[in-house]
């Protein structure tokens, strides 16, 4: 559904992996400037906007801010401060079509003689984190002249140089470290404004920006007049309105020097593109907005691990090793834009052109933003690191937290190198000699390991995820590098968490709810058995047959014992003699995460590690008891992500009574990451409709008016747990790729004759299209080299082919009934 | 119009003159905690709310947060953080009836067995600034039992001790200086919780609060459990839900000591009142919320005058010299509440029961808030001082700025001692030997005079206002104290601003638009002639007949000359050879403030100081050209207080062309203070409908959804210029009180047989009621000792009486046709 201008919560982020963002709101406005290696929700730049002037030949010129009108409330302690330009005319209406990574905005206004729409995006190429990490965006306004006469059209972008902003004064104008400067540039086939500052290269706030275009029909005012008052904007606006041509200012200011120390440092510059459009003609006005803030502090400086030993040092962003400055970024964007856009549109098309349920496409695409938000970053050398999420003004909960990132699937299947890098950090650098893993990585900055309880779910989940990464990549060197640490981490479970050696974990178990569970519970144990099963496969691969057998045995006997101990006929409980002996337990409750380990096993291709019927019963019970079509009647004194009148899945419920006096501290909350986890699992167990209902609940809550569709919040914006969403594609399409055996198999759970879905493998990605007559696999990027490809066709049974070798653009047809096709095994 | 829960901009402030505020929002929620001598819009306290539990005998208990439901957007970087308690059930609906100073909220909910409404207010007594300056509020919930069985009802207020808050952590919980502490108290006929802190008495953040009641049916949990997690709120809520009785906690925390230094300092306490209501019964549950933050820094620490020499010292609030602490405030409130409420309701009744147009009552009452907002304060000794307004987190533009406060009428006629005090500051302390007045007072803190251009409008307006204050009070000592400075200030105009000695001011004239006008203009000159006329009257009173004559002559000849020079047949222009020779002029423009000096003269009883016909033409032209029923089409790059689609009066327009390239920096803005000034003037000149149309425009913009009805913003919230509103009552009722001659006269401009209006004099206040048969004057407060009372009756002509002596509660009837009434002079 396109969003109307009053969808004030909506903000579509532009920017690549590890680059920060600027977003576009539902009125088409630029908002939330978060370019400088730090979250900054709500950060505005004064006088920063696009404007359009259209003058039919012989007609009346109309100039408008290229946004739809402000929707209110219209509060502010100085009304709308001058920098907001709320007193300038805007367009009558707009519709936002946000289909991440592509944004389209349609504007309408009866008084404007021409039609105008915006397309905006930052290139996204599956399996290519570097190319998906360009610090910049394309803003392409497309203007159509519906008249029977020519029309002169100018679109001008104005940008306040944001480099060095350290805060805002009482009038909401920025204060700066250093002196920003703007300069006109005409080089490398680009024209535009280079935004710089006199901050030294090594300064944390050092950076550059560019607002540029490959269009040669430019007109510009690279630097507005400065002054004690706002002369600059008056002159700019009058200049634009007058004839659609901008004149560079010949003076710096109308105020005479010398200037006092508090004289404004604000430097605004405007770049315009001007075209005459013939009747009926359409014309693109294309701007490139790029940025380059190379320097980060060499420390998390977060809210949990307070060791910031090297915070005084600077470390560069990965992208800064690829580009010298923002102008170089713009050059790259300009040079490669056709190809970059082709890839981006192919990905967009494979997702939004699929027959996957729209709520799933919506969930997967919108949460993908997390990877390209301030939550994630890459350091020089390529190291991937991430927060759990982003507070409005700072990162939230540092260290690529294992127990939160446990839930994330998107990176593993879309940018797998990032997850491999995280596993490397975990097992090579953060797993101690005794096998205890620091569940928040401090080594990415070269700082000392964090000293805290180990997290049972995070530590064991990472082992399953290591298996997932190895299986998807087939990278044996990677596995060999990580395995020693992984084996120590696995062995650690026996000694640390199994107090009585019965193969069921039962001691003090810190976990993703930020407290410790005690006694046997299926969250920790399902994760344990999944890790053991994954460990067995990896030990086998590493030639340690003895260990493999031991892990397999432990998984089987442990699962059996746990099942007998905790399954209550409907779901798995936590076994405690007195649920109130310690706070923060759940006892007889129905925990939404109760078989999360099983879900991770499914995703990693490990199949059932617990009795299938009991697992199915458990996830069905989670849906039955914990999903509320209307949360009215649910009392919670905890954080609130879903309100009475909304639908959501609570983390725990007590359908059989036994709620502790003080249950675990998030028990009554609703987290989208767990909703996706459970939804995925429901689908894996065949409860497709139930799974989709959960997904719809999440997305209905994020409708642009209530919440931002592109930001699922938990402890922070763009929360990593929401990346569980990609699992929905895995479960629905039933895709299973094993790089080692070079097999790719699909057994769709979405019973749909006409299914079309995106898929990825470690080396290539594309679409699988099921038609009544058979199946087609089209490779849209990378390459594919398979021993075997199989598709379970709902009508024709298993279609198979192999070996299959495809390059990007290639396709293979699996036809059921055509005997002339040698690959037809139906 | 009552406001619905989605009127999110609405916030009704509680608190007295110089005490700061806490506000109530449109859902009935407590918001904007601004008690600690500093604005703090948006400041929330976690876990701070009222709740109701109702249990019909034999029926089901229902417990609800005593607010209507959250209306969204539901964003926040951690959802709603735990302190918001968004996951607890709230009431289905509410309506806010805000009639300042009285608030009533009606709540509705089908599931709650009883009906509940809130009345909230801080006592307001006309002519009594001290009694109107109590740092506290009454929150009275009235519950009605519509059932045929008894109902047990508890209402509990919970308050987080806010003393010493220095900021908020990433989880939105406050950080504290010092350690807050809560204690139960049962003394002086009051029961409740005393909130204190271990901050030393002299600390700027030192303070106390009380949540108390005179009700004996209390139940309380003076301090919730503390802890690493939110055990306290879970236990509180369960305790309340269980039986409506709160148990004091026996433990401090469920977490074992020792506690780390970062252990929570948050101390929440709850006071409940519990009653059994018989069928059909109504019962008040009355809470007193009081506070006491005695200490301010002895300096403005503002954004303009940076001399804060004594900022390290502490000065006490005036209220702190009356009350030892918040408990003493509660005692006073409890003791005197019947009388305080009677006065408050009498004032409310006189205003809201009047037949003044509702938009006028709305404007006057809502802007009255300014005087009881963070914009104003009183220092020990009673000194009145004020900002221009309040930024969200700090005062805006310090020094009781003469050119802004020039517009304010409310204090002069409702709390005249405050304005007298401001005049004393201006003329005794801030007028230099040469007559130049510092238009921002720094002397209130004993700091050095501010060195800047003198402000022509502010300085001369203060002279008119001195006359107004003297005339209203009859306080000759006060006049004698101020006159020497006033005379110097008046003489200064001749030497400073009249470059050619022709009696028309024409040199560099700094003014309320924060720039300088040059050349003859009617804003400065109308103010000059008003000041001369006022000066003549005061010189006369002081026995300086020669000066009196000189001022009278100068006023007359100057007015004549200016009229000839500037009147263009329709309105007064600014005379400049080249309007663009200097920036920030208006030239041939139609300035809304062009005859503001004349308006001040009207208010002060000085009648026309410029040719009446030209004045009438000028204000009509202002209405014609500057009022826009819809601002669509108005382009402004300045601050924005009224948007396309809304109505408003712009500060200037150029109906005859000649707009400067860069006009004065606020020329395209819309200020409510000037809208009221012009509206008042239109009514004074007989253009009643036009005046009321302006007032409606202002109030329509402040509808609770777009903007807060109780906060008219300019450069800051609760902006002083909006206090121009009281002028509307003066103009409509045509009241004229002269304390020296002891005459009170009414010549209503609102042609309405049934007029009823509030009036004030220096010694008493009440209602004037015009009936078809005559008039009645009722004194509701103070006393009245008149030589003559006259009322221009629309049907019977002038009714008169005298001498008249009335005490509060007294009334006098002026009957037209009854010869038996000796006071009938019709």
């Amino acid at each position: 559904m396109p969003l109307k201008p009053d969808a004030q919560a909506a903000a579509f982020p532009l920017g690549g992996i590890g680059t920060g963002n600027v977003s576009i709101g539902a009125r088409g406005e630029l908002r939330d400037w978060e370019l400088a290696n730090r979250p900054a929700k709500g950060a505005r730049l004064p006088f920063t906007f696009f404007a359009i002037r259209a003058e039919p030949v012989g007609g009346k010129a109309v100039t408008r801010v290229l946004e739809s009108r402000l929707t209110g409330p219209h509060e502010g302690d100085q009304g709308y401060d001058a920098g907001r330009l709320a007193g300038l005319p805007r367009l009558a209406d707009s519709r936002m079509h946000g289909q991440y990574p592509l944004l389209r905005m349609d504007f309408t206004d009866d008084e404007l003689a021409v039609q105008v729409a915006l397309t905006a995006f930052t290139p996204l190429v599956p399996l290519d984190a570097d190319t998906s990490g360009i610090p910049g965006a394309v803003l392409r306004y497309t203007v159509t002249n519906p008249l029977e006469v020519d029309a002169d059209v100018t679109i001008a972008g104005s940008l306040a140089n944001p480099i060095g902003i350290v805060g805002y004064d009482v009038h909401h104008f920025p204060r700066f470290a250093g002196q920003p400067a703007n300069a006109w540039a005409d080089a490398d086939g680009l024209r535009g404004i280079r935004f710089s500052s006199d901050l030294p290269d090594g300064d944390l706030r050092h950076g550059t920006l560019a607002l540029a275009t490959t269009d040669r029909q430019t007109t510009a005012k690279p630097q507005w007049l400065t002054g004690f008052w706002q002369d600059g904007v008056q002159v700019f606006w009058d200049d634009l309105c007058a004839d659609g041509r901008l004149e560079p200012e010949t003076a710096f200011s109308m105020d005479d020097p010398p200037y006092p120390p508090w004289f404004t440092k604000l430097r605004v510059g405007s770049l315009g593109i001007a075209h005459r459009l013939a009747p009926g003609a359409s014309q693109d006005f294309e701007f490139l907005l790029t940025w380059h803030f190379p320097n980060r502090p060499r420390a998390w400086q977060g809210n949990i691990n307070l060791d910031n030993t090297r915070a005084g040092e600077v470390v560069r962003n990965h992208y800064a090793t690829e580009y010298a400055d923002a102008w170089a970024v713009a050059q790259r964007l300009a040079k490669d834009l056709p190809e970059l856009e082709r890839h981006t549109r192919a990905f967009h098309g494979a997702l939004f052109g699929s027959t996957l349920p729209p709520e799933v496409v919506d969930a997967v695409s919108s949460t993908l933003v997390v990877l390209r938000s301030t939550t994630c970053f890459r350091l020089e050398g390529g190291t991937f690191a991430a927060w759990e999420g982003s507070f409005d003004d700072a990162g939230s909960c540092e260290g690529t937290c294992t127990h939160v990132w446990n839930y994330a699937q998107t990176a593993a299947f879309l940018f797998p190198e990032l997850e491999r890098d995280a596993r490397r950090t975990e097992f090579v650098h953060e797993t101690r000699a005794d096998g205890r893993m620091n569940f928040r990585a401090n080594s990415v900055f070269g700082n000392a390991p964090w000293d805290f309880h180990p997290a049972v779910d995070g530590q064991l989940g990472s082992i399953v995820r290591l298996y997932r990464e190895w299986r998807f990549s087939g990278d044996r060197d990677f596995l060999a590098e990580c395995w020693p640490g992984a084996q120590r981490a696995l062995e650690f479970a026996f000694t640390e968490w199994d107090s009585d050696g019965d193969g069921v974990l039962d001691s003090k178990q810190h976990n993703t709810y930020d407290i410790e569970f005690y006694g046997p519970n299926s969250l920790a144990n399902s994760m344990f058995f999944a890790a053991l099963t994954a460990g067995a496969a990896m030990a086998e691969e590493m030639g340690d047959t003895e260990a493999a057998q031991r892990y397999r045995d432990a998984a089987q006997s442990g699962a059996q014992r746990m099942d007998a101990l905790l399954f209550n006929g409907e779901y798995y409980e936590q076994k405690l003699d007195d649920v109130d002996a310690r706070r923060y337990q759940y006892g007889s409750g129905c925990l939404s995460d109760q078989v999360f380990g099983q879900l991770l096993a499914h995703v990693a291709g490990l199949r059932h590690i617990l009795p299938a019927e009991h697992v199915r019963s458990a996830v069905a019970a989670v849906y039955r008891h914990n999903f509320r079509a209307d949360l009215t009647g649910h009392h919670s004194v905890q954080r609130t992500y879903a309100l009475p009148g909304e639908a959501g899945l609570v983390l725990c419920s007590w359908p059989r009574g036994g709620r502790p006096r003080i249950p675990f501290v998030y028990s009554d909350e609703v987290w989208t990451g767990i909703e996706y986890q459970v939804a995925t699992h429901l689908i894996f167990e065949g409860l497709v409709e139930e799974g989709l209902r959960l997904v719809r609940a999440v997305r209905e809550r994020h409708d642009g008016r209530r919440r931002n569709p592109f930001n699922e919040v938990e402890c922070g914006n763009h929360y990593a747990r929401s990346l569980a969403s990609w699992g929905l594609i895995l479960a629905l399409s039933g895709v299973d790729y094993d790089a080692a055996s070079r097999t790719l198999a699909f057994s769709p759970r979405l019973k749909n004759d006409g299914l079309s879905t995106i898929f990825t493998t470690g080396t290539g990605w594309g679409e699988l299209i099921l038609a009544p007559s058979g199946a087609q696999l089209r490779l849209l990027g990378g390459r594919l080299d398979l021993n075997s490809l199989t598709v379970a066709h709902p009508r024709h049974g298993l279609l198979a082919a192999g070996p299959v070798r495809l390059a990007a653009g290639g396709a293979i047809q699996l036809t059921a009934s055509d005997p002339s096709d040698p690959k037809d095994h139906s």
Side-chain angles (χ1 to χ4, degrees), chain A residues 162-181:
Chain A
I163 304 161
I165 290 181
V166 291
Y168 288 79
D169 67 20
V170 290
H171 300 298
H172 308 292
F173 282 104
R175 291 181 293 107
F176 294 87
Q179 175 58 62

Side-chain angles (χ1 to χ4, degrees), chain A residues 792-825:
Chain A
H793 194 283
R795 189 177 297 180
H796 306 296
L798 205 66
L799 311 182
V804 174
R805 300 190 70 157
L806 290 176
I812 179 169
Q813 203 77 30
L814 287 80
T815 312
S817 52
D818 182 356
S820 71
D821 182 350
K823 299 195 181 63
D824 175 12
H825 300 250

Side-chain angles (χ1 to χ4, degrees), chain A residues 463-482:
Chain A
I463 295 169
V464 189
R465 295 188 291 150
L466 174 63
Y467 178 71
R468 178 188 67 185
E469 271 56 285
W470 169 58
R471 194 160 180 267
F472 200 64
S473 67
D475 185 341
R476 205 175 179 285
D477 291 345
F478 160 74
L479 179 60
E481 187 183 2
C482 294

Side-chain angles (χ1 to χ4, degrees), chain A residues 415-435:
Chain A
F415 302 111
E417 63 186 294
L418 303 181
E419 287 283 358
R420 286 201 300 277
D421 197 61
R423 295 300 84 71
R424 218 175 265 122
T425 295
E426 286 157 9
F427 293 113
V428 180
H429 301 292
E430 297 287 350
T431 302
R432 300 176 186 224
D434 68 355

Side-chain angles (χ1 to χ4, degrees), chain A residues 35-328:
Chain A
L35 310 180
N37 300 312
R38 203 179 163 84
K41 288 295 178 219
R44 288 194 298 259
L45 292 179
F47 307 124
T48 295
F49 66 110
F50 281 81
I52 183 169
R53 179 186 184 279
E55 181 177 8
V57 168
K60 190 180 141 227
V62 167
T63 309
R64 294 285 183 266
V65 174
L66 228 173
E67 303 171 2
S68 58
R69 288 175 192 152
L70 295 157
T71 53
H74 305 299
E75 294 207 300
D77 65 3
Q78 288 148 77
Y80 286 100
D81 55 81
R84 302 287 299 272
L85 295 173
L88 289 182
R90 284 168 165 73
L91 298 168
D93 206 354
S94 63
R95 289 294 180 277
M96 173 190 246
H97 307 260
Q99 298 189 331
Y100 197 83
L102 280 182
L103 172 74
R104 200 185 83 230
M105 296 278 320
D106 292 328
F107 299 94
T108 49
D109 193 303
D110 285 348
E111 292 190 26
L112 191 73
V114 297
Q115 289 150 5
V116 58
L118 165 65
T119 300
F121 65 98
T122 294
L124 188 151
V125 182
L127 308 178
D128 186 345
D130 283 1
T131 305
S132 301
I134 297 174
V138 178
L139 293 157
R140 180 188 299 141
Y141 292 95
T142 304
V143 179
T144 305
N145 176 10
L147 306 173
E148 299 188 353
V149 295
D150 285 0
D152 288 311
V153 177
T154 300
I155 294 184
S158 299
L159 175 64
N161 187 328
I163 304 161
I165 290 181
V166 291
Y168 288 79
D169 67 20
V170 290
H171 300 298
H172 308 292
F173 282 104
R175 291 181 293 107
F176 294 87
Q179 175 58 62
N182 304 354
W184 177 249
D186 184 351
D188 320 304
L190 284 172
R191 279 184 182 162
I193 307 171
R194 300 176 74 144
F195 297 85
S196 63
S197 157
D198 63 1
L199 289 169
D201 287 358
D203 192 286
L204 270 179
R205 301 181 188 279
H206 164 74
T208 55
L209 286 89
L211 179 62
T213 184
T214 54
D215 203 312
R216 304 307 289 171
Q217 304 250 49
T218 55
T219 180
K221 194 186 284 289
Q223 187 169 306
W224 293 6
L225 282 171
T226 65
F228 290 104
W229 292 100
Q230 307 307 332
D231 304 340
V233 62
Q234 184 74 65
V235 169
F236 163 77
W237 185 252
D238 291 344
D239 189 7
L240 179 65
C241 289
D243 60 3
R245 303 283 156 171
L246 298 172
E247 305 299 326
E249 298 294 345
T250 53
F252 168 69
S253 174
M254 296 172 81
D255 291 302
D256 297 327
Y259 305 112
W262 47 266
F263 191 73
T264 182
K265 292 180 161 189
L266 192 70
R267 300 293 180 264
V268 184
S270 301
L271 169 66
I273 300 174
H275 286 284
R276 171 163 289 197
L277 273 67
S282 251
Q283 171 74 43
D284 285 344
F285 294 68
E286 185 177 278
F287 298 84
L288 305 177
L289 173 64
T290 59
W291 58 90
H292 191 272
F293 287 86
N295 303 329
R296 289 181 165 271
R298 193 181 285 278
W300 287 103
Q301 300 187 305
N303 53 308
I304 294 180
N305 170 10
L306 302 177
D307 169 34
N308 295 305
T309 316
R310 301 178 70 181
E313 300 173 35
V314 157
V315 57
R316 282 195 303 165
N317 277 315
H318 175 61
Y319 75 68
T321 66
E322 299 182 284
Y323 306 101
D325 60 12
W327 192 260

Side-chain angles (χ1 to χ4, degrees), chain A residues 400-555:
Chain A
T400 328
C401 175
T402 59
H403 61 64
V404 169
W405 277 86
N406 240 359
Y407 294 75
Q409 302 296 348
T410 307
F413 294 95
L414 198 59
F415 302 111
E417 63 186 294
L418 303 181
E419 287 283 358
R420 286 201 300 277
D421 197 61
R423 295 300 84 71
R424 218 175 265 122
T425 295
E426 286 157 9
F427 293 113
V428 180
H429 301 292
E430 297 287 350
T431 302
R432 300 176 186 224
D434 68 355
R436 166 194 300 242
M437 184 190 291
N438 315 302
F439 66 82
R440 299 188 187 279
N442 212 13
S443 60
V444 293
F445 291 115
N447 282 331
W450 185 47
D451 201 18
F452 195 69
H453 314 296
V456 65
D457 51 347
Q459 174 152 349
L460 296 174
S462 285
I463 295 169
V464 189
R465 295 188 291 150
L466 174 63
Y467 178 71
R468 178 188 67 185
E469 271 56 285
W470 169 58
R471 194 160 180 267
F472 200 64
S473 67
D475 185 341
R476 205 175 179 285
D477 291 345
F478 160 74
L479 179 60
E481 187 183 2
C482 294
W483 174 245
Q487 188 160 29
R488 288 201 309 281
L490 185 55
E491 298 283 355
F492 180 78
F494 293 100
T495 56
E496 175 76 7
W497 290 305
D498 182 5
S499 70
D500 54 6
D502 70 346
V504 174
L505 307 186
D506 60 359
S507 56
K508 176 177 174 176
Q509 301 153 63
H510 188 78
N511 59 55
T512 201
Y513 312 123
D514 296 338
I515 44 76
E516 291 80 42
F517 283 161
Y518 293 86
N521 66 83
S522 61
L523 169 58
N525 279 290
S526 69
M527 202 66 78
F528 184 37
F529 309 140
L532 285 167
T533 309
M538 293 186 285
E540 201 79 67
E541 177 71 18
M542 291 289 103
D544 189 347
T545 318
E546 179 275 324
Q549 189 57 48
R550 191 156 48 83
Y551 298 151
R552 258 192 302 269
D553 292 347

Side-chain angles (χ1 to χ4, degrees), chain A residues 350 353-356 732-736 744-748 752-760 765-771 774-780 789-794 799 812-814:
Chain A
S354 77
T355 60
L356 294 167
L732 287 167
S733 67
V735 66
D736 188 47
L744 176 61
F746 294 89
S747 39
N752 188 331
D753 243 23
L755 176 71
S756 153
T757 182
I758 190 173
F759 75 90
T760 63
W765 67 278
E767 289 173 309
L768 174 79
I769 300 164
L770 280 190
Q776 187 192 37
L777 185 135
R778 299 172 54 197
L779 200 70
L780 297 172
L789 166 66
T790 56
V791 178
H793 194 283
L799 311 182
I812 179 169
Q813 203 77 30
L814 287 80

